[in-house]
Amino acid sequence: MKKLLSILLTLTLLVSFSSAALAWEPQWEHDEDLSDYKLCENFGDITLTIAVTDHSSIEDWETNAYVKWLEEVTNVDLTFQLIPYENRTEKLSLVLASGDYPDMFLSCGMNDAMIAKYGVDEGMFLPLNDLIEEYGTYTKRMFQQYPGSEGQITQLDGNIYSLPVVNECYHCSVPNKFWINKTWLDNLGLEMPTTLDEFYDVLVAFRDQDANGNGDPNDEIPFAGDYKDGWLTNGDRFIMNCFTYYNLDLDTTATSLADAFGLYLTEDGQVTVPFIADGFKEGVEFMAKLTAEGLYYVGSYTQDLAGLTQLAESGRLGASAGGYILFANLGGDVYRQYTYLLPLKGPDGFQNVTGFPYDSVTGNVVTISVDTQYPVECFKLADLMYTYASSMRSYYGVYGEDWTDADEGAVGINGEPAFYKLLVPWDESKPQNKCVLQLCNSFRDAKYRLGEPSDPNVDLYSSEGLETMLYQASLEYKEFTHDNMEIPPLKFTDDENAAMSVIKANLATTIKEGMFGFFNGTMTIEKDYDSWMATLEANGLYELIDYYQAAYDAQYK
């Protein structure tokens, strides 16, 4: 098992985001043969009850056009048990504790701990291994294209209890981007910085030389961020990765994932954290220097994305991190002032950006009750959802009304032939009854997602050009990632998850308060680092590392 998972991990890293040879070549939906998914002779001979999320943008699961298409293909009558979207994981826990299960659970907040407890320990979910082997046409295609995915969803007892969603967002694989105000650089006659020292000089110029040209040299904010609700707008990652590998997520809502504690792998496969790494103290002191000198806005540590956006839209912001330029109004005059800045070389030449190499195949999207009368039919319905026809219809709606085949000769975002074109703009905020958005399993690899037509001359700063801009930026960022240092998905027992939840709760606040204290000057490395580390140790930091190390060694070495 260890050897197999090690091989799978290696293969995953080799093909991650560059697997052209394995890339899916989809058939158009009207060419796919779905006859094998007719699961009974007459409609209604089989009825399946499925637990789903009651989302405000889905008017009615029972009458939804995508659901009606599934019923047409399968002849199965689908009925639904709705789980409220708000706090759905907690609501799902109540359903699971009741023992009164539907035939299937579909995208309703199932997590790894639930799979371990109700699948592995209590046997309430159906093992899918044999069903996959006999009926999993499209599930096995997923395993072939993403060689690490089978091991990723295999539990510690060797069984697979849930199926994931494939959603390979290329620009999400390296979303820690950084944006600098090119208009300000031009106003001051400055070049794009390539080293941390050059960046520091740029920030000083932004602060002191009336970079926005309004006649007031004191209203500029050279660099700012937010740690509440922006997508990777926490500016410390950009700076700290000039000193050491640093994937710590200081988003104040992040409390459970490995990044919330900075866990990563050394080159020789040892789980560690940045707090004890070479370069950490120097990086922290540099962040503190930026804050003390007004180069990094001290309000960044308490403001939300709306506050960051207000700084930008008022013409006062020189630079910020973000998955895209989400701190300015898309397509507006301020938005157009920013361009991406590639990772900088630090004092010792270190240059890095952290990525997310394992996020293409994620989640416990489909589970099947062990008590269902129709295990084969449930599984084949789930396998059907990985087809091109289903993936398109579940996400975009009705063929010929909401989307259709791409025009001949059209090119996609990646410059390769396009697959499809939208007839109606995609919108996940308005109530509709055509699709179920992203609330079922589907198969959307990078080639699929980049297969939407894109005019080669598209305005990159328009809404139509956003995906193209992010694709082009990600191509350049990708060479600076060290994906082998990110911890792959790990499985833990129910008891381990319970023990770690206590440790994580104890550590989360101490880590965040300490890091913010170091950055904003209320704590210093010289006076407070040793006592802070002692508190982390007392709260279980090294125990947490040991849990992850043992799981990694067992599953990947």
Side-chain angles (χ1 to χ4, degrees):
M1 186 67 171
K2 293 181 185 178
K3 184 176 181 181
L4 171 61
L5 287 171
S6 179
I7 293 171
L8 292 176
L9 173 61
T10 301
L11 288 171
T12 300
L13 292 172
L14 287 173
V15 303
S16 181
F17 310 110
S18 59
S19 52
L22 293 173
W24 173 36
E25 296 288 354
Q27 295 175 298
W28 307 125
E29 76 143 20
H30 44 268
D31 292 333
E32 280 184 317
D33 180 8
L34 302 181
S35 60
D36 193 42
Y37 293 90
K38 190 71 70 176
L39 302 179
C40 54
E41 185 174 353
N42 303 302
F43 177 75
D45 286 349
I46 293 175
T47 298
L48 297 179
T49 300
I50 307 174
V52 295
T53 296
D54 185 14
H55 194 282
S56 61
S57 294
I58 300 174
E59 292 177 354
D60 187 346
W61 277 87
E62 299 280 352
T63 61
N64 187 276
Y66 169 65
V67 172
K68 289 302 180 184
W69 177 82
L70 287 176
E71 291 181 331
E72 179 183 346
V73 172
T74 63
N75 257 354
V76 172
D77 184 12
L78 303 177
T79 63
F80 298 92
Q81 178 179 341
L82 301 181
I83 295 178
Y85 180 75
E86 295 296 328
N87 301 314
R88 63 176 176 166
T89 299
E90 290 79 359
K91 302 294 175 57
L92 175 62
S93 295
L94 296 177
V95 175
L96 293 173
S98 74
D100 183 15
Y101 291 180
D103 294 287
M104 300 172 63
F105 293 88
L106 180 66
S107 279
C108 45
M110 195 77 68
N111 58 37
D112 286 342
M114 291 173 176
I115 297 296
K117 176 177 174 59
Y118 295 101
V120 178
D121 292 347
E122 299 187 11
M124 301 302 292
F125 299 146
L126 186 71
L128 304 178
N129 306 50
D130 293 342
L131 292 168
I132 291 171
E133 182 60 32
E134 186 167 358
Y135 302 107
T137 301
Y138 292 95
T139 305
K140 286 187 283 190
R141 178 187 62 181
M142 172 182 64
F143 293 163
Q144 291 170 354
Q145 182 160 329
Y146 296 92
S149 57
E150 184 171 7
Q152 183 174 326
I153 62 175
T154 299
Q155 298 300 314
L156 295 177
D157 64 354
N159 288 322
I160 295 171
Y161 295 93
S162 67
L163 295 178
V165 64
V166 176
N167 183 13
E168 188 175 352
C169 166
Y170 181 77
H171 69 81
C172 302
S173 70
V174 53
N176 285 288
K177 298 179 176 65
F178 193 84
W179 308 90
I180 192 167
N181 196 313
K182 181 66 163 56
T183 299
W184 286 18
L185 289 174
D186 292 342
N187 287 347
L188 301 179
L190 300 174
E191 298 293 327
M192 191 71 70
T194 59
T195 68
L196 189 62
D197 287 342
E198 291 173 356
F199 181 67
Y200 174 82
D201 291 340
V202 164
L203 295 182
V204 171
F206 281 179
R207 183 193 63 190
D208 297 341
Q209 298 181 28
D210 190 22
N212 61 12
N214 68 350
D216 181 357
N218 300 309
D219 68 343
E220 285 83 358
I221 304 292
F223 173 22
D226 100 86
Y227 292 84
K228 289 190 175 179
D229 53 354
W231 181 34
L232 299 173
T233 47
N234 37 348
D236 55 295
R237 277 196 179 184
F238 184 70
I239 298 299
M240 292 297 293
N241 274 288
C242 298
F243 295 89
T244 188
Y245 192 90
Y246 179 91
N247 65 344
L248 181 64
D249 186 356
L250 291 176
D251 182 333
T252 52
T253 63
T255 58
S256 61
L257 299 178
D259 284 6
F261 310 94
L263 297 167
Y264 69 95
L265 293 171
T266 63
E267 295 288 353
D268 59 353
Q270 297 301 303
V271 177
T272 189
V273 287
F275 321 127
I276 57 177
D278 292 341
F280 173 78
K281 293 180 181 179
E282 188 179 0
V284 166
E285 290 174 334
F286 191 87
M287 276 293 297
K289 176 182 177 181
L290 294 182
T291 305
E293 295 181 7
L295 302 177
Y296 188 60
Y297 179 50
V298 69
S300 300
Y301 304 114
T302 55
Q303 73 178 355
D304 58 12
L305 180 59
L308 181 62
T309 302
Q310 185 176 15
L311 292 180
E313 287 294 329
S314 66
R316 301 173 61 203
L317 182 62
S320 182
Y324 65 99
I325 312 170
L326 72 166
F327 47 84
N329 296 328
L330 178 61
D333 291 341
V334 171
Y335 180 90
R336 292 172 180 273
Q337 293 180 7
Y338 295 91
T339 190
Y340 57 88
L341 176 63
L342 294 176
L344 302 170
K345 289 183 179 179
D348 296 325
F350 190 76
Q351 190 175 21
N352 180 65
V353 63
T354 55
F356 296 90
Y358 302 105
D359 282 6
S360 296
V361 183
T362 58
N364 302 290
V365 180
V366 178
T367 51
I368 300 174
S369 170
V370 74
D371 295 327
T372 182
Q373 298 180 50
Y374 305 106
V376 173
E377 289 79 6
C378 285
F379 175 78
K380 292 193 72 171
L381 178 65
D383 191 65
L384 168 65
M385 292 180 184
Y386 288 128
T387 64
Y388 179 74
S390 179
S391 297
M392 288 297 296
R393 285 174 173 267
S394 67
Y395 189 65
Y396 287 122
V398 178
Y399 176 78
E401 296 181 15
D402 302 295
W403 64 278
T404 190
D405 303 341
D407 297 332
E408 187 172 353
V411 296
I413 293 167
N414 57 1
E416 298 181 18
F419 293 160
Y420 59 92
K421 68 177 179 181
L422 300 185
L423 302 175
V424 176
W426 191 82
D427 189 340
E428 65 178 341
S429 61
K430 296 179 181 177
Q432 50 75 43
N433 217 31
K434 297 290 193 70
C435 66
V436 296
L437 305 171
Q438 301 185 75
L439 292 176
C440 69
N441 58 309
S442 60
F443 191 97
R444 293 181 290 141
D445 68 353
K447 195 167 185 180
Y448 169 111
R449 289 193 50 154
L450 298 172
E452 183 179 349
S454 176
D455 183 343
N457 299 313
V458 67
D459 176 3
L460 295 179
Y461 286 89
S462 67
S463 59
E464 295 80 10
L466 176 60
E467 288 285 336
T468 302
M469 172 197 277
L470 293 178
Y471 172 73
Q472 293 176 359
S474 299
L475 281 176
E476 295 194 58
Y477 272 85
K478 193 64 184 173
E479 67 176 281
F480 299 102
T481 62
H482 297 81
D483 286 343
N484 61 316
M485 298 179 74
E486 284 295 308
I487 296 177
L490 299 174
K491 300 293 186 294
F492 297 96
T493 67
D494 190 34
D495 288 343
E496 288 171 336
N497 280 320
M500 285 193 298
S501 68
V502 175
I503 294 173
K504 289 177 177 180
N506 291 335
L507 285 174
T509 299
T510 303
I511 289 174
K512 290 177 174 59
E513 288 181 348
M515 293 302 296
F516 287 144
F518 289 133
F519 291 160
N520 66 26
T522 59
M523 294 170 60
T524 67
I525 289 292
E526 181 180 1
K527 293 181 179 179
D528 302 298
Y529 173 80
D530 289 341
S531 61
W532 178 65
M533 283 300 302
T535 303
L536 292 181
E537 182 174 1
N539 285 340
L541 176 63
Y542 292 103
E543 293 175 60
L544 184 66
I545 290 173
D546 287 344
Y547 275 116
Y548 274 78
Q549 187 70 62
Y552 177 76
D553 290 346
Q555 296 168 44
Y556 289 98
K557 283 189 176 179

